[in-house]
Amino acid sequence: MTAKNFQNSLQKVVNSTSFPKYVYNRNPRNLEKLCIAYKPDGWHLEKPGRSYWHRLFVERSSRALTAYVKHYTGHIPVQASTKEWAIRKHLYSAVDKGAYFNLSRVLASRCLQFGITEMYSEFQPTEEIDGCDTNLQIFINELKNCGVTLKEPERYINPRPSDLERPDKAWDYF
């Protein structure tokens, strides 16, 4: 096939195809990725607050370790636990430092597959001297190394015409 024949056949396909006038977005998380979705503020008397779209929870029992991401609506889109046999069979213990390290890698890969790259976390990594890291710090550091950000961007609020400062739009950076 020559270039001219290919160009003619491509032109026929483009002319015969009709494109829809409107495109409907069926992704419920799209507005959160654009930072324009509603972010609940909670009540002003609540101590930890509720200004997040996704929040990280880490729970430890005597026999297992569970980490999950909770949406502000109460839905849990991503969860990983050492109770799962696929994870448990590769661990020496379900609650030691190796379990925290590997569970954070599994949770990070599941979050990235699901499309959650930013989440709110009460736990922030701190720099310790002499390599004295706690299990939770190991978990958080490995989660950050795998590409998950533990701070959500601020919600974009459309400025009024009378506002002096106009913030940058979040979708201009992508």
Side-chain angles (χ1 to χ4, degrees):
M1 179 180 269
T2 64
K4 190 172 187 177
N5 291 342
F6 178 74
Q7 194 173 26
N8 289 337
S9 62
L10 184 64
Q11 194 69 10
K12 289 178 186 178
V13 170
V14 170
N15 290 339
S16 65
T17 307
S18 63
F19 295 101
K21 193 171 191 178
Y22 299 101
V23 177
Y24 297 102
N25 183 15
R26 294 180 289 171
N27 183 0
R29 309 267 188 250
N30 185 39
L31 296 178
E32 294 172 4
K33 291 299 258 181
L34 292 174
C35 299
I36 57 177
Y38 170 73
K39 189 185 267 195
D41 294 330
W43 300 97
H44 67 282
L45 295 176
E46 287 180 321
K47 185 177 180 181
R50 267 191 303 187
S51 184
Y52 61 87
W53 287 303
H54 298 98
R55 183 174 174 187
L56 175 68
F57 288 91
V58 180
E59 296 176 355
R60 180 182 186 228
S61 67
S62 61
R63 301 183 74 169
L65 179 65
T66 304
Y68 58 92
V69 176
K70 191 172 187 180
H71 194 256
Y72 77 90
T73 59
H75 176 69
I76 298 175
V78 181
Q79 179 177 2
S81 176
T82 56
K83 294 177 188 175
E84 299 174 25
W85 178 246
I87 298 172
R88 177 70 182 229
K89 70 179 182 179
H90 295 287
L91 299 174
Y92 177 75
S93 171
V95 290
D96 64 346
K97 287 188 180 199
Y100 277 89
F101 181 81
N102 289 312
L103 191 69
S104 66
R105 296 182 91 177
V106 170
L107 184 72
S109 68
R110 290 181 185 177
C111 285
L112 294 177
Q113 287 173 356
F114 195 79
I116 299 174
T117 56
E118 298 107 5
M119 66 182 74
Y120 170 75
S121 175
E122 289 181 355
F123 320 110
Q124 294 299 328
T126 58
E127 297 297 324
E128 290 289 325
I129 325 169
D130 300 330
C132 180
D133 290 335
T134 63
N135 292 341
L136 197 56
Q137 287 175 346
I138 290 172
F139 183 88
I140 296 296
N141 286 333
E142 187 58 29
L143 203 63
K144 288 179 74 174
N145 290 341
C146 289
V148 177
T149 307
L150 295 176
K151 184 175 184 288
E152 285 187 338
E154 292 295 320
R155 180 176 174 236
Y156 176 78
I157 299 173
N158 196 14
R160 296 189 174 124
S162 61
D163 289 345
L164 293 176
E165 293 184 19
R166 294 179 181 264
D168 292 333
K169 297 175 182 145
W171 53 88
D172 286 343
Y173 296 115
F174 296 120

